[in-house]
Structure formats: structure tokens, C-alpha cells
Amino acid sequence: MVTAERIERTALKNLIHNEVYTRKVLPFLKPEYFEDRNERIVFSQILKFVEQYNKQPTKETLQIDIGKRKDLNEKEHQSIVDLISTLNKEDIDIDWLTNTTEKFCKDRAIHNAVMEGIHILDGKNKNQTPEAIPEIMKDALSVSFDKNVGHDYLSDIEKRFDYYHKKENRIPFDLDFFNKVTKGGLPNKTLNVALAGTGVGKTLFMCHQAAAALSDNKNVLYITMEMAEERIAERIDANLLNVSMEDLHMLNKKMFNDKIVQLQGKTTGTVIIKEYPTASAGANHYRALVNELALKKSFKPDIIFIDYINICASSRFKAGSNVNSYTYIKAIAEELRGLAVELNVPIVTATQTTRTGFVSTDIGLEDTSESFGLPATADFMFALISSEELEKAGQMLVKQLKNRYNDPTMNRKFIIGVDRSRMKLFDIEQSAQNLIQPEQQEKYVQHNPTKEETPEQKYKKFQDFQY
């Protein structure tokens, strides 16, 4: 049995004599993992040889290369030559050795990260600040041997078949047409964006979906940078308690408590609402919040709402820096989508329309304010559209702008009902949907004084965004 102290020596032996082991582990080994200087030098020579000649060195070639080094004195040279002479071939289980080497790499990476953090705190490392320590530790903890080298199209048919028939974990809507266009709800690791003008209903939509997710026993994290936490909670209260915003303030304490107790008996989920000052928080802040909630409340979100993306901060660019709005908003979108992947949750957010889009009843991707890079990053993007006719009918038009979950040309537009007093959205009868079917397009366009193109013509211009 190889002891922990000798794993470095065993690794060096097999890097010379076992090609399978070398191909598996050499991409992940680093010279700094070898604590002994002589072993570190030998490994560096092996790595250099393999990179240059794409094959393993022999003991003799290593000894010759060591003899050419100018940074070793005679005693050091002889010590390393003697070490190389002991690296003889041995029979050992490759799977065991690979797993043991992986654990060794993880342990050394964490040890080195801790020592580097101490040097930073002690002021011995002048190039980095203490703020870099979490990232250093994160990199160390992520060390692993990734054995996946890609999908073999002809050989991996079983995996592909299982994938086609696997039921993906999704957060469903309580609105039929949204479930239709997303094939059952929002998948994890996705960024979903609602596009609407001021006052149309971006926050209403997100508060309604937060309430729906809670009713479905999901844990919801709602991050707001536009309204106070209490204002968001007020809207969710109106939705879940089925009380108008005005009547909500008229409830006495007993009635309010009774309704909340009744609600608590219907769900096992939780809603956490966190307020940040406008443009002061970004993906790094949200990641820290999720970690803090996990530690302090044992809370792990199933879905995250961010109200809204244009007033988030970027983790890569400082506010006020010489960066245009396209780059800045696209960076925020990429960071939020990366956070969704990291946390394995869907993120729902919203963005404003341009001034032209604000008065339009047929919003398109070109009406996205500040950055056209946002639609390129989002997985699902839809417009919430209102007009005088729709407001009078208590309805809202939804138009798909981009959809990676389904064919966006199917049910490209649909109507949902709106109860603004209770902050609720609801399904409506099919007869109302018929108003926006192709045979009714001419009638629909008559209510669109700002644009002459039909929705179909406009859609074709931006179909390259439909992945």
C-alpha cells in the first residue's frame, strides 16, 4: 500500500512508465503540488518533455535534461539524478492510483490556497488584496479530474435516448399559455426576461409568479432594487390573500393573521425578499446572499427573481467606467446567467423598452433599451404589451421574442387576464385569444399607429435570435 507521503514518488514513476495514467492526470497536476523541491523539478522536466514531444520521457532522457540545467549545483544535480534512478516501473491499479492522485491534487490545492490567503492577510503578497481570497479558495475547491472528453455521437446513443426521455426539472407557471410555450415551465440554469414599458406590469408579473411558485411549495428569492421590501411583500400579499391593495390596508390584525396562518398551512415553501440600493449590487452580491441564507436560514432558492436587470451592477465593470451601455448590460446578463448555472435555478428578471417601444402595441427585440446584447444572452424573452383596449378589458398581450425551450412561432402572441388591484394574472377564455390569430391580424394592426409592419414581417427580421 502506498502511503500518503509517497504518492508524489508513485505519481512520478507512473508518469514515466504508464502512458494511460500520464494521459489521464498530467493535465491536472501542477509543479506547486510537489512539496519536495527535487520532485518538483523532476515533474517539471516530465511536463516539459511531454508538451514538446507528445510522449513520455525515459529515465535516461530526464537525467540528460537535468544535466543541462544551469540553476543546479553539483550536489543538487547528483541528488536529482539519484532520485530519477529510483523511478522504476511497478504494477499498481490505475483506477486506484488515479483517484488517489486526484485527492492529492485537491488536498494540495486547498493547502496552497490557505497559505496564499495567509500571506495576503500578512501583507507578504503585495499584488493581491484580501478580497481575492474567496476566489482563490473557490478555484482550489473546484479542482477535479474531468473524465468527460465529449459526446460520441455513434457510441453514446443510450445516453442520448435517455436524455430525450428524461423529464426535466422545471418551475411551472400557473398560466396555461406560458406552460405551453415553455414546455411545462422554466428549466434550471436559465435566464428569463420580461420586456415592458414603465407601468405595464413587469413587477406585477414577477410578484405574481413569485406567489405562484410559493403556492407550488417552492422556495423563492426575490431581489428588489426598485421598490422597498415591504412594497414587494404587499403585492405578494394582495395576490396570495386574494385581497385588493386598497382593502389590504383595511384588514384588522386578527383577520390578517388568520389569512397568513391559512396560507402557511397550504405551502411548504418560503419567500425571501431582499432589497439593495439601485445599481449597487450584482451577481457577486447575490451569490453571497444565497450562501448567507443557506448558513443562517437553511434556505436554498428554487427560483430567483431580480427586479430588474438594468439597475443591477456588473461584477466585471465599475459603474461610471468608460464602458458603453451595450457592453455593460450584456455583461450583467452574462453574469446573471452564469449565476443561474452555478446555483442550478432559473432566474427571472425584466428590462425596459425604448421610448418607441413604450408607445408601441407590437414590441420587438429592437425595442430593448440600452443593450441589444441582453436578448442575445437570455434563454427566454417575452414582451408584456398593454393598450387602452386591453386595459379596459382587464387583459394584457404577451408576445414571444426569443425562446430556447420551444418553437417561438407557435403561440407567438397570446392574451392573459390582469387584476391589477389584486396583483393577479389569470387565464382567459379562448374567444379572447382569437382576437390575435392570423385572420385577425389586420384588425390588430389598426390599433398600432406607430408601426406599419405586421408582427410577422417584424419577426422575420429578428429570427436569428430564435435559437
Side-chain angles (χ1 to χ4, degrees), residues 107-231:
D107 292 344
R108 291 304 303 172
I110 294 172
H111 175 271
N112 291 346
V114 171
M115 295 305 297
E116 187 175 356
I118 293 173
H119 290 158
I120 292 173
L121 292 174
D122 289 344
K124 295 179 181 179
N125 187 334
K126 304 296 183 182
N127 298 322
Q128 292 181 302
T129 63
E131 285 73 19
I133 294 177
E135 193 66 25
I136 293 171
M137 292 301 301
K138 178 183 173 184
D139 291 342
L141 291 168
S142 65
V143 169
S144 68
F145 289 7
D146 185 3
K147 300 178 179 65
N148 180 22
V149 293
H151 179 83
D152 189 322
Y153 179 78
L154 294 177
S155 298
D156 293 340
I157 57 174
E158 291 293 335
K159 291 181 181 179
R160 199 156 66 251
F161 180 85
D162 292 342
Y163 171 79
Y164 293 154
H165 293 81
K166 179 182 178 182
K167 187 175 181 181
E168 191 174 13
N169 184 33
R170 293 173 181 257
I171 303 294
F173 293 88
D174 65 341
L175 300 166
D176 286 344
F177 268 89
F178 269 103
N179 282 328
K180 285 181 181 178
V181 301
T182 59
K183 290 187 175 179
L186 301 178
N188 293 332
K189 303 181 181 181
T190 58
L191 178 65
N192 308 275
V193 183
L195 171 64
T198 302
V200 172
K202 298 186 298 296
T203 299
L204 186 157
F205 175 84
M206 287 193 285
C207 286
H208 172 83
Q209 286 310 128
L214 176 64
S215 299
D216 194 34
N217 303 314
K218 306 298 184 184
N219 285 336
V220 177
L221 175 59
Y222 196 111
I223 296 170
T224 173
M225 284 167 288
E226 187 175 38
M227 292 186 180
E229 295 172 356
E230 295 78 11
R231 293 292 185 186

Side-chain angles (χ1 to χ4, degrees), residues 8-247:
E8 296 95 324
R9 193 68 60 89
T10 304
L12 292 177
K13 291 178 182 178
N14 284 272
L15 287 173
I16 296 174
H17 299 290
N18 193 313
E19 184 178 1
V20 174
Y21 174 79
T22 302
R23 300 295 180 187
K24 281 185 176 181
V25 308
L26 195 60
F28 308 103
L29 282 169
K30 296 181 180 180
E32 57 264 31
Y33 292 166
F34 293 82
E35 194 170 8
D36 181 83
R37 180 172 181 266
N38 289 349
E39 291 175 344
R40 185 162 58 249
I41 291 173
V42 172
F43 172 76
S44 297
Q45 288 297 145
I46 294 173
L47 180 62
K48 182 179 179 181
F49 188 94
V50 174
E51 288 177 345
Q52 185 172 356
Y53 300 104
N54 194 30
K55 62 181 180 179
Q56 296 166 284
T58 63
K59 291 196 294 183
E60 290 73 22
T61 56
L62 282 177
Q63 289 172 335
I64 293 171
D65 286 341
I66 290 295
K68 297 177 182 178
R69 293 182 63 132
K70 306 297 184 183
D71 59 337
L72 302 174
N73 59 40
E74 186 176 346
K75 183 177 180 180
E76 291 172 333
H77 170 264
Q78 188 59 49
S79 177
I80 295 173
V81 168
D82 291 342
L83 167 60
I84 294 173
S85 66
T86 67
L87 301 179
N88 299 318
K89 184 177 181 180
E90 59 181 20
D91 292 329
I92 195 166
D93 186 85
I94 295 302
D95 291 336
W96 175 88
L97 182 57
T98 301
N99 293 335
T100 304
T101 305
E102 182 176 12
K103 184 179 184 305
F104 161 73
C105 290
K106 289 180 177 180
D107 292 344
R108 291 304 303 172
I110 294 172
H111 175 271
N112 291 346
V114 171
M115 295 305 297
E116 187 175 356
I118 293 173
H119 290 158
I120 292 173
L121 292 174
D122 289 344
K124 295 179 181 179
N125 187 334
K126 304 296 183 182
N127 298 322
Q128 292 181 302
T129 63
E131 285 73 19
I133 294 177
E135 193 66 25
I136 293 171
M137 292 301 301
K138 178 183 173 184
D139 291 342
L141 291 168
S142 65
V143 169
S144 68
F145 289 7
D146 185 3
K147 300 178 179 65
N148 180 22
V149 293
H151 179 83
D152 189 322
Y153 179 78
L154 294 177
S155 298
D156 293 340
I157 57 174
E158 291 293 335
K159 291 181 181 179
R160 199 156 66 251
F161 180 85
D162 292 342
Y163 171 79
Y164 293 154
H165 293 81
K166 179 182 178 182
K167 187 175 181 181
E168 191 174 13
N169 184 33
R170 293 173 181 257
I171 303 294
F173 293 88
D174 65 341
L175 300 166
D176 286 344
F177 268 89
F178 269 103
N179 282 328
K180 285 181 181 178
V181 301
T182 59
K183 290 187 175 179
L186 301 178
N188 293 332
K189 303 181 181 181
T190 58
L191 178 65
N192 308 275
V193 183
L195 171 64
T198 302
V200 172
K202 298 186 298 296
T203 299
L204 186 157
F205 175 84
M206 287 193 285
C207 286
H208 172 83
Q209 286 310 128
L214 176 64
S215 299
D216 194 34
N217 303 314
K218 306 298 184 184
N219 285 336
V220 177
L221 175 59
Y222 196 111
I223 296 170
T224 173
M225 284 167 288
E226 187 175 38
M227 292 186 180
E229 295 172 356
E230 295 78 11
R231 293 292 185 186
I232 298 299
E234 178 186 34
R235 283 158 169 73
I236 296 176
D237 270 337
N239 183 294
L240 289 172
L241 304 184
N242 199 28
V243 177
S244 70
M245 295 278 284
E246 184 178 346
D247 291 342

Side-chain angles (χ1 to χ4, degrees), residues 197 353-361 363 367 451:
T353 61
T354 59
R355 285 179 293 179
T356 304
F358 178 71
V359 297
S360 173
T361 54
I363 295 174
D367 294 311
K451 300 193 178 179

Side-chain angles (χ1 to χ4, degrees), residues 219-223 272 274 276 282-306 336 339-340 342-347:
N219 285 336
V220 177
L221 175 59
Y222 196 111
I223 296 170
I272 300 291
K274 173 62 178 176
Y276 287 99
N284 284 344
H285 298 85
Y286 309 148
R287 181 182 295 106
L289 173 63
V290 170
N291 292 336
E292 188 175 3
L293 287 170
L295 289 172
K296 294 182 177 179
K297 289 182 172 289
S298 298
F299 174 89
K300 181 183 182 302
D302 296 304
I303 185 170
I304 298 176
F305 295 87
I306 300 176
L336 292 184
L339 182 65
E342 180 182 334
L343 300 179
N344 193 33
V345 299
I347 289 180

Side-chain angles (χ1 to χ4, degrees), residues 172-430:
F173 293 88
D174 65 341
L175 300 166
D176 286 344
F177 268 89
F178 269 103
N179 282 328
K180 285 181 181 178
V181 301
T182 59
K183 290 187 175 179
L186 301 178
N188 293 332
K189 303 181 181 181
T190 58
L191 178 65
N192 308 275
V193 183
L195 171 64
T198 302
V200 172
K202 298 186 298 296
T203 299
L204 186 157
F205 175 84
M206 287 193 285
C207 286
H208 172 83
Q209 286 310 128
L214 176 64
S215 299
D216 194 34
N217 303 314
K218 306 298 184 184
N219 285 336
V220 177
L221 175 59
Y222 196 111
I223 296 170
T224 173
M225 284 167 288
E226 187 175 38
M227 292 186 180
E229 295 172 356
E230 295 78 11
R231 293 292 185 186
I232 298 299
E234 178 186 34
R235 283 158 169 73
I236 296 176
D237 270 337
N239 183 294
L240 289 172
L241 304 184
N242 199 28
V243 177
S244 70
M245 295 278 284
E246 184 178 346
D247 291 342
L248 187 62
H249 294 270
M250 304 298 291
L251 293 176
N252 61 46
K253 188 172 183 180
K254 183 178 185 308
M255 293 176 64
F256 181 75
N257 286 344
D258 287 345
K259 285 181 175 292
I260 293 297
V261 170
Q262 187 177 10
L263 176 62
Q264 289 172 337
K266 294 179 179 179
T267 182
T268 58
T270 303
V271 174
I272 300 291
I273 306 168
K274 173 62 178 176
E275 177 187 0
Y276 287 99
T278 301
S280 67
N284 284 344
H285 298 85
Y286 309 148
R287 181 182 295 106
L289 173 63
V290 170
N291 292 336
E292 188 175 3
L293 287 170
L295 289 172
K296 294 182 177 179
K297 289 182 172 289
S298 298
F299 174 89
K300 181 183 182 302
D302 296 304
I303 185 170
I304 298 176
F305 295 87
I306 300 176
D307 193 1
Y308 60 97
I309 193 169
N310 296 68
I311 52 177
C312 292
S314 171
S315 301
R316 287 180 280 178
F317 301 106
K318 290 184 179 179
S321 60
N322 188 25
V323 178
N324 59 53
S325 62
Y326 174 92
T327 303
Y328 192 74
I329 300 299
K330 188 174 189 296
I332 295 173
E334 291 170 346
E335 291 160 13
L336 292 184
R337 193 177 187 284
L339 182 65
V341 173
E342 180 182 334
L343 300 179
N344 193 33
V345 299
I347 289 180
V348 181
T349 187
T351 187
Q352 294 274 20
T353 61
T354 59
R355 285 179 293 179
T356 304
F358 178 71
V359 297
S360 173
T361 54
D362 190 24
I363 295 174
L365 285 172
E366 80 279 14
D367 294 311
T368 306
S369 68
E370 296 192 81
S371 176
F372 212 57
L374 174 56
T377 306
D379 295 284
F380 179 46
M381 192 166 179
F382 56 93
L384 302 174
I385 304 170
S386 186
S387 66
E388 289 186 9
E389 291 84 356
L390 289 168
E391 285 180 2
K392 288 177 182 178
Q395 296 172 351
M396 185 184 294
L397 175 66
V398 180
K399 178 183 178 183
Q400 294 187 70
L401 302 178
K402 177 182 179 181
N403 192 340
R404 285 176 173 164
Y405 317 138
N406 206 346
D407 181 358
T409 63
M410 301 296 293
N411 299 305
R412 184 164 61 243
K413 298 188 187 71
F414 53 92
I415 297 285
I416 56 176
V418 184
D419 183 348
R420 293 185 183 275
S421 67
R422 290 178 170 81
M423 293 289 139
K424 277 182 175 289
L425 304 174
F426 54 89
D427 294 314
I428 61 174
E429 64 277 6
Q430 184 61 39

